[in-house]
Amino acid sequence: MNALLQASRSDHPWAGKIYSGGWIESQGGTAPIVEPATGETLGVIGVASAADVDAAARSAQAARAAWAATPFDRRAAVMREAARLLMARASEVNLWNVRECGSIGPKADWELAATHEQMLMAAALPMQANGQTFPSAMPGRTNLWRRVPVGTVGVIAPWNFPLLLAMRSVAPALALGNAVLLKPDAQTAVTGGALIAQVFADAGLPEGVLHVLPGGPATGDAVVRHPAVEMISFTGSTAVGRRIGEICGGLLKKVALELGGNNAIVVLDDADLDAASSNGAWGAFLHQGQICMQAGRHLVHRSVAEAYGQRLKQRAEALHVGNPHAGPAHLGPIINARQLDRVATIVQASLDQGARLLTGGTHEGLFYRPTVLADVRPEMPAFADEIFGPVAPITVFDSDDEAVALVNASPYGLAAAIHSASVSRAMALANRLHTGMIHVNDQTVNNEFHVPFGGMGASGNGGRFGGPANLDEFTQSQWVSVMDKAIQYPF
């Protein structure tokens, strides 16, 4: 075992702990940290109970006023120092991302760099304009509209990009003066939780402002329902997001939901097939397809479908699947056996209904081969379901109108891509799609930290992350009117 991980068994302050006013024993016990590629136990992490969540929420409530009152330049300085420390610890962070999360090295490198950029962007938020002045019909009155912190934000982060998708909410929420309760997925609680807590603690963030509470559904439910948590930022499945939305609606809490996707890459008859198949392979197979923006549906004009399928097959068969810690690999393991069984079941059910296997469809342990399916029809699971695995189902269409109808047939609306030699044709098609993000002559797995990001329909509630959207997501508005002298009213 690598020395960094060997030390983590007992020497790291977070081993077997949660972070709540420092590293403490959890009342919910501990959970093993398991490497999906080998099944090896890398260490243990604390699991937060409902009582731990309650204590953390009360601590955050006590600490947040002082943090919100901290001058903006001091909050920005803490963010910049945390970003610096994260990059200084790149070897440790990336190693955990590879071994704990099953990431290949380049994915871990990219996620770290993107997270660093997110943190630097967040550091700039406190110095942005904080509101507006509005005129008044009342002589002598000044109307101020300003943004104020929400209070305490509960962040529930997923396992696929645990560092980036946690920090996407944690960093702007903290920078804008909120306290945060972060619940990372227990499967990736070091990369997506413990390492984050440590960099902020070492950067000088006051105790009580950030709490890291690993756990499963019970821990998340306690965070969502706690009365001292005023906002929930959730990234995960649509089924869980719907339930969180229902609870938050009943409790009148602000909620940002970034949910699943069944994203389409549309290949028109005039597309560059070499480029389109490259984009299709990247969008379908990156990180084993375990990405909400994965190209899960390949909609291809009938006249080029066979040629596209053969190119995609060749690209899939050139990819090496293996343990990313043991050596270079294009694809690592599926995160767990349950998810692998889901992928295999969707593929087999679609084959049983008449889909044609061009390549893949097999696995060794948690290592699933990149798979290309042809002749996929809309009623098949490979078209209808979010697969979240390295599978590229190809469905043919005969007209642009049919392509639009196929894209919009899904209740999801996260991302789409369109390939065509004519930008105007592609844009005309894009203008008819019900998705939050559309990329012309590119692939679906796109993320730029400064551009607002989010989905429509079953992919989210319209919340946005990134750039100016963070100012609205992690604050609430307040109207203050000011008169030099009190008004005398009729009674």
Side-chain angles (χ1 to χ4, degrees), residues 434-481:
H434 186 70
T435 62
M437 298 171 285
I438 303 171
H439 308 291
V440 173
N441 289 325
D442 203 342
Q443 42 81 37
T444 56
V445 185
N446 266 301
N447 181 82
E448 294 200 49
F449 66 92
H450 60 292
V451 182
F453 175 111
M456 301 177 180
S459 292
N461 65 343
R464 290 292 185 271
F465 301 98
N470 287 326
L471 289 168
D472 294 325
E473 283 299 314
F474 297 103
T475 62
Q476 53 192 342
S477 63
Q478 184 181 66
W479 174 28
V480 178
S481 69

Side-chain angles (χ1 to χ4, degrees), residues 152-365:
T152 298
V153 177
V155 177
I156 302 176
W159 49 260
N160 57 338
F161 281 74
L163 182 67
L164 176 62
L165 298 185
M167 197 68 80
R168 179 178 67 178
S169 293
V170 169
L174 290 176
L176 292 167
N178 299 285
V180 172
L181 269 58
L182 168 61
K183 191 211 82 67
D185 192 289
Q187 296 173 105
T188 54
V190 176
T191 309
L195 299 180
I196 292 172
Q198 197 61 52
V199 295
F200 277 111
D202 294 345
L205 185 71
E207 287 190 1
V209 176
L210 173 64
H211 302 258
V212 175
L213 309 167
T219 307
D221 188 67
V223 172
V224 170
R225 294 179 186 274
H226 200 284
V229 178
E230 286 92 348
M231 175 183 174
I232 297 297
S233 178
F234 171 77
T235 303
S237 73
T238 296
V240 175
R242 287 186 192 278
R243 182 59 183 146
I244 289 174
E246 290 172 2
I247 295 169
C248 289
L251 297 174
L252 300 180
K253 293 189 180 189
K254 190 173 186 178
V255 60
L257 303 173
E258 200 265 283
L259 309 177
N262 192 4
N263 314 289
I265 179 169
V266 179
V267 182
L268 299 178
D269 53 346
D270 61 349
D272 178 336
L273 295 187
D274 286 332
S277 62
S278 173
N279 281 259
W282 181 266
F285 305 138
L286 178 65
H287 195 43
Q288 299 79 261
Q290 299 172 130
I291 306 174
C292 61
M293 299 173 289
Q294 178 210 15
R297 294 181 296 157
H298 297 240
L299 310 181
V300 187
H301 193 277
R302 188 180 302 276
S303 65
V304 296
E306 189 63 31
Y308 176 84
Q310 289 303 311
R311 284 170 170 81
L312 196 57
K313 172 187 175 182
Q314 291 170 6
R315 293 182 184 279
E317 291 176 344
L319 299 177
H320 172 64
V321 181
N323 180 353
H325 181 58
H330 297 104
L331 279 72
I334 300 294
I335 189 67
N336 57 43
R338 183 179 67 255
Q339 181 60 24
L340 182 134
D341 288 344
R342 171 180 166 77
V343 173
T345 297
I346 288 173
V347 169
Q348 189 57 55
S350 299
L351 292 173
D352 291 344
Q353 294 177 33
R356 180 162 49 98
L357 183 67
L358 297 186
T359 190
T362 62
H363 67 93
E364 296 181 11

